[in-house]
Amino acid sequence: MSEQHRGFERGTDGPKVIVAGVDGSESSLRAASYASGLARRQNALLALVYVQPLMTAGAAFGAPVADTTGEIAEGLVAEIREAAERVRGIWDVRWEFHTFRGDPYSGLVTAADELQADAVVVGASESAGHRIVGSVAVRLVKAGRWPVTVVP
């Protein structure tokens, strides 16, 4: 067997780990739903990822950001569990929930790398400011490290 055929090759038998970024927005929840369908059809693990923003120095004097984002993560877990219970028996999807810290792009890159993602699914940006900086989805596509699906 040649060197190139000995190692693991992504994408040959369909994705085994699908990462879906969730942040509570409608588009991210649609992305999670789409990703769960992909995971079911591919018999892949669905890794739902919430990227908890890092607290900036200025925020330290305001509301406790860490507590707030922790509450968001807990709320997302509850929402996702509730949705999973509703479709139990209809869809049999293996899934996990992960929280990473950082900005959304860096957090999803870290998550996809650490979880050895074969594919990444995100919702389309709902922020007008992303037209200037570039949306997380566009930056993930430009990284060119995984197939990226953007769900409207």
Side-chain angles (χ1 to χ4, degrees), residues 26-93:
E26 286 298 317
S27 67
S28 80
L29 296 175
R30 285 192 297 272
S33 178
Y34 181 86
S36 68
L38 287 177
R40 179 185 56 83
R41 288 186 295 278
Q42 297 287 338
N43 194 29
L45 173 67
L46 173 61
L48 298 166
V49 174
Y50 168 63
V51 180
Q52 186 173 344
L54 292 174
M55 185 167 63
T56 61
F61 299 106
V65 175
D67 291 346
T68 304
T69 55
E71 288 169 18
I72 291 169
E74 287 172 21
L76 283 172
V77 170
E79 208 171 319
I80 290 161
R81 284 192 194 286
E82 186 180 305
E85 289 300 325
R86 282 197 305 267
V87 297
R88 184 183 297 273
I90 300 170
W91 287 6
D92 187 18
V93 177

Side-chain angles (χ1 to χ4, degrees), residues 90-114:
I90 300 170
W91 287 6
D92 187 18
V93 177
R94 295 177 299 125
W95 65 279
E96 302 171 347
F97 185 84
H98 298 271
T99 301
F100 287 80
R101 296 178 84 92
D103 68 272
Y105 170 75
S106 298
L108 285 171
V109 166
T110 300
D113 283 346
E114 288 188 14

Side-chain angles (χ1 to χ4, degrees), residues 6-17:
R6 256 187 233 162
F8 170 75
E9 185 179 342
R10 289 186 184 177
T12 53
D13 296 314
K16 297 300 178 205
V17 178

